[in-house]
Amino acid sequence: MSLRKHLNILDYAVHFMLRRRGKNIATVLVFTLVVFMLASVVMMMGSLREEAENTLALAPDITVQKIVAGRQGLVPLSYASRIQDIRGVSRVEGRIWGYYYDALEDATYTIIGVEHLPFRVVEGRAPRGQEVVVGEAIAKRKRIIPGDRIILRDHRGNYVKFTVVGVFSPRSSLQSADIIAMPGSIAREFFGIPDDRANDLAVYVANPAELTNIAYKISLALPDARVLTRQQIRETYDAIFGWRSGVFLAAIFGAILAFAILVWDRASGLTAEEKKEIGILKALGWSTEDVLEMRTCEGVLLALNSYLLGIILAYIHVFYLNAPLLRPVLLGWSTLYPSFELMPALSLEDLLLIFMVSVVPFMAAVIVPSWRASTIDPDEAMRGV
Amino acid sequence: MIRCEKTTKVYNRGKPNEVVAVRGVSLEIRGGEVAVLRGPSGSGKTTLLTLIGCAARPTSGRVFVLGREVSRLPERFLTRFRREHVGIIFQQFNLIPELSVLQNVVIPLVPTPTRPEEAEERAMELLERLGLEHRHHFRVRELSGGEMQRVAIARALVNQPEVIIADEPTAHLDSSLAGDFLEIMQQLQNEGKTIVIATHDPLVYEHELVDVVFDMRDGRLVEVERR
Ligand SMILES: Nc1ncnc2c1ncn2[C@@H]1O[C@H](COP(=O)(O)OP(=O)(O)O)[C@@H](O)[C@H]1O
Ligand SMILES: [Mg+2]
């Protein structure tokens, strides 16, 4: 078969499409919107899931908090030595961290005290003395580069100067984005945490199989402590994702509904002129396959354009604008993380999934009615159908 | 050149609305002749034209065109044969109103390996011959009736067919435009084309260019008048 012939048909299809601009623009709009909605949700879920995995990978095996009057209070470091005595515990660390409200930017940061950095630093090195490493989002927002100074207000209200010596890698965004890391002793002073206390304890165990057992022993030994295992944190995430999957399903359902309307419109919407034109083409020596090929080209052009447009818009919406349209759905998430930026995470499977639920049924909707129209006998056209 | 042997066409066979549109017609048209199918409305002229023009297959009997038995060709091959050898001028012109004149004329060449430049060149030549070159970029709906028919003629000729069929070509034309049409047919006959016209317009069937007239009544061929 000659390629030339197919190019001719494709060219005719483009004209066929452009001639019905109004109808086709409406189609592209609905289609793009559906792909956009689906892709936004899929991309956001993918991104959050990846972030959760990163966070879990960094979380200690067991986190020990002290509960005072039903709220999280400071943990005495003496607890650390009692936990250290439990067999199977390899290491216990008192962690210093707290929230910091930046009135100038109307943003909340998390300040953590670190001895060694939990996240990769793209630029710079670990902080020493009055030095900090900042998250990518802070660096961007405040236009900071290593070597710059920042001034923060400590718990007494004094302004304290810090030198920025590094920026966290954007890959581990959810946590590193709005984090300021400084040496543990400096953070302790900054928040005014007594020397014998910490915000919580990070406990590491040698054998993961013993995790639950050790957690149980800790809660027995320290009745006023809340003991969270990595497993429990994972379950919390799973619960949130479970709920979010429901939202996701609802979004898909809505999209499919909108799509069904579009498809129905297309399927029933072969206009009298379109039918007449197909009849004329048949009478002029186009075969059934030629007509179908032309209509398929038209469908593919419409569908692919809408698909690409929807994906690109969703990408911008989720990863550049941080999904403003999905924010309400994310409220639950932000109780876990006061602020975060979504990092691009887009898998081929996701793209394929969206393709399967959008482009494939659309193509069927274009081709089926055309197929019916294209099988009319050419002599019908002779009588002016 | 064109031969029908006991050709019959039945619509809606076996149903209550069954119609025998063409009934056992046998006829022969020689190469280069201008033939007229004459008869009142409903006598089966259009149906017989579709059979001769390879747009439909007979229910029974045989049809030969250019020495080939087309009545037995599967649809795909019949379509291809029609595309390569037959030009059709429809009663309603059957032009696509939103397309330009040039775009309408090249339609039969689209599903072929013809390059677009070559197709347009051929179309422009025909439009020039028919005095329409200055209208090539006009939309069809901006044309007069006579111009529309000349576009339809150009389109029927663009695939360089040996056989041209025309269904009631003068039905929508005044007598002066009908005269123009016959003049064009005369030229085409001089080029050796075989022309079959279905009509009940005396202006056409009494014209000197007509070589043979087939009279139809109720799907039957009742008289042949060779001149
Ligand atoms: N597609 C069709 N289905 C059923 N009957 C048809 C169809 N086409 C034509 N007929 C019938 O066949 C007969 C011949 O029609 P036609 O060939 O159009 O005659 P003419 O062109 O001489 O007016 C008429 O009775 C017409 O109603
Ligand atoms: Mg007729």
Side-chain angles (χ1 to χ4, degrees), chain B:
Chain B
M1 180 68 179
I2 295 169
R3 200 167 80 241
C4 295
E5 291 179 0
K6 296 197 185 116
T7 307
T8 295
K9 178 73 178 180
V10 184
Y11 288 111
N12 310 319
R13 189 148 60 140
K15 294 190 194 140
N17 55 347
E18 183 178 284
V19 179
V20 185
V22 171
R23 219 181 269 267
V25 169
S26 297
L27 59 77
E28 181 158 8
I29 301 165
R30 295 181 207 126
E33 275 187 338
V34 174
V36 162
L37 307 180
R38 179 172 64 183
S41 178
S43 57
K45 305 182 294 295
T46 300
T47 305
L48 189 53
L49 265 193
T50 64
L51 298 176
I52 290 171
C54 306
R57 275 176 299 183
T59 312
S60 66
R62 312 210 284 175
V63 178
F64 296 83
V65 177
L66 293 166
R68 185 90 180 264
E69 184 181 353
V70 293
S71 42
R72 294 282 165 269
L73 285 179
E75 198 215 289
R76 286 187 51 189
F77 294 96
L78 188 68
T79 300
R80 184 142 138 225
F81 186 87
R82 180 170 81 249
R83 194 165 65 210
E84 287 169 5
H85 303 290
V86 183
I88 304 178
I89 301 164
F90 302 91
Q91 182 172 4
Q92 324 282 346
F93 305 145
N94 272 341
L95 300 171
I96 296 169
E98 305 92 27
L99 289 183
S100 74
V101 167
L102 191 64
Q103 284 169 328
N104 264 285
V105 175
V106 299
I107 288 174
L109 298 178
V110 170
T112 72
T114 317
R115 283 179 303 111
E117 309 86 68
E118 191 195 326
E120 284 180 11
E121 200 176 302
R122 261 202 249 169
M124 279 309 285
E125 261 168 43
L126 288 166
L127 290 174
E128 234 164 87
R129 252 186 75 180
L130 297 165
L132 277 175
E133 70 275 19
H134 60 294
R135 291 272 188 270
H136 73 271
H137 60 274
F138 273 49
R139 271 168 215 283
V140 162
R141 64 168 115 81
E142 297 162 349
L143 301 180
S144 70
E147 286 171 328
M148 282 195 204
Q149 188 179 52
R150 279 181 283 156
V151 175
I153 296 170
R155 190 179 61 184
L157 296 175
V158 80
N159 57 341
Q160 298 165 327
E162 292 95 331
V163 178
I164 294 161
I165 65 174
D167 195 12
E168 313 271 3
T170 57
H172 303 286
L173 304 180
D174 62 29
S175 53
S176 136
L177 286 172
D180 293 346
F181 172 79
L182 290 166
E183 210 165 288
I184 295 166
M185 291 302 117
Q186 181 86 71
Q187 285 176 24
L188 292 173
Q189 186 193 24
N190 294 344
E191 287 168 26
K193 311 253 187 226
T194 306
I195 300 167
V196 185
I197 304 169
T199 188
H200 57 257
D201 181 356
L203 215 64
V204 178
Y205 62 75
E206 281 168 9
H207 198 275
E208 53 170 19
L209 83 103
V210 177
D211 298 299
V212 56
V213 176
F214 299 99
D215 265 310
M216 309 268 307
R217 289 287 182 287
D218 296 328
R220 281 179 221 279
L221 178 59
V222 290
E223 205 184 325
V224 181
E225 177 196 338
R226 214 170 262 286
R227 297 170 180 168

Side-chain angles (χ1 to χ4, degrees), chain A residues 264-278:
Chain A
W264 183 82
D265 177 60
R266 269 265 151 184
S268 57
L270 210 58
T271 60
E273 293 98 75
E274 281 175 313
K275 273 187 210 144
K276 178 153 198 243
E277 180 161 344
I278 288 175

